[in-house]
Amino acid sequence: GWQTWWNFYGIMLGRPAGPAMEQRLAALKEICEEQNLYDIHIDEVKMKEHYIAAISDTLSKEQINNEVSKMYDKIEQLIRQNNAMQNGDKMAQYILLSHNQFAIRIGIPVNKKLEGNKKISVVRMPAAKVLVAHYFGSHSSIKKAYEALHFYADKHYMKSPVNPWEVYVTDTTLVKDTVQWQTDVYYPVY
């Protein structure tokens, strides 16, 4: 029955079809490995040294939307009081502490070093090599950008010394279509 066919197929596969098939499989493997996970574009960039006015806090998932906007308002007020200027898009870093609690750091890049206050610190971000995932869509699916960054870093044998952060390129109060919302996720690597 079938045993004779499989013996014949195995002999044929090992000869002329074998090397050609191996080449095609290797080419297919290369194409598949070059595709970005979730089709999210990732750049390797050199980030310049800069300053960020930031607030850190611990919030529940339910508190984030309401409290984060208040935190940005406080930072913007400090920037105005110091005759400084915002020098980039708003940013945030979220670290899951438990199923409902996050340690968050909200920041705004500024054009000069400022004096902070009890609530707001001004930190120097050193120059660094970073991966940047350009994600478009609702913030509820941003996890895809993080997964794509981890996949890319692993594939290129890169490690990260710190947690990634999000930079909100699109002002979501002005653009209502979530498909057009751009969030860049920065991931320092070495």
Side-chain angles (χ1 to χ4, degrees):
W2 286 104
Q3 184 63 38
T4 306
W5 165 251
W6 284 115
N7 288 340
F8 174 75
Y9 181 74
I11 293 169
M12 293 304 291
L13 188 60
R15 294 197 182 165
M21 184 179 288
E22 288 297 323
Q23 287 175 338
R24 282 188 232 112
L25 286 173
L28 177 62
K29 180 180 182 228
E30 188 175 317
I31 289 168
C32 290
E33 288 178 348
E34 285 303 311
Q35 296 297 319
N36 285 330
L37 189 63
Y38 302 119
D39 201 28
I40 294 174
H41 181 75
I42 297 175
D43 288 321
E44 292 182 33
V45 299
K46 181 74 171 170
M47 184 179 71
K48 294 180 182 179
E49 176 183 275
H50 61 283
Y51 291 96
I52 297 172
I55 297 176
S56 297
D57 205 346
T58 301
L59 298 174
S60 70
K61 192 174 184 177
E62 294 79 25
Q63 293 175 302
I64 289 176
N65 284 341
N66 190 36
E67 293 300 316
V68 165
S69 62
K70 291 177 187 175
M71 294 163 77
Y72 282 128
D73 289 343
K74 290 177 185 175
I75 296 171
E76 288 170 339
Q77 182 180 15
L78 177 77
I79 292 170
R80 284 190 302 275
Q81 288 171 347
N82 284 276
N83 296 317
M85 292 177 53
Q86 183 172 330
N87 197 26
D89 295 312
K90 294 176 180 176
M91 55 197 311
Q93 184 179 55
Y94 302 90
I95 300 168
L96 183 64
L97 300 175
S98 68
H99 76 282
N100 194 39
Q101 290 288 314
F102 291 86
I104 65 168
R105 176 172 272 183
I106 303 301
I108 299 177
V110 291
N111 64 333
K112 62 182 183 178
K113 185 175 181 180
L114 308 175
E115 279 297 318
N117 57 34
K118 289 181 183 179
K119 190 73 174 162
I120 303 170
S121 60
V122 179
V123 295
R124 180 185 69 83
M125 292 287 287
K129 178 181 177 180
V130 295
L131 299 178
V132 182
H134 305 285
Y135 170 76
F136 288 87
S138 167
H139 295 143
S140 63
S141 298
I142 193 78
K143 183 178 179 182
K144 292 177 184 179
Y146 287 83
E147 291 170 354
L149 283 168
H150 288 290
F151 178 79
Y152 185 97
D154 286 345
K155 186 175 132 190
H156 292 90
Y157 306 102
M158 297 175 177
K159 301 282 184 204
S160 179
V162 297
N163 290 309
W165 63 88
E166 300 172 11
V167 174
Y168 305 110
V169 178
T170 304
D171 184 343
T172 59
T173 61
L174 301 176
V175 179
K176 298 302 177 195
D177 182 4
T178 61
V179 173
Q180 296 179 14
W181 291 0
Q182 180 179 348
T183 304
D184 290 346
V185 181
Y186 282 68
Y187 193 51
V189 292
Y190 62 90

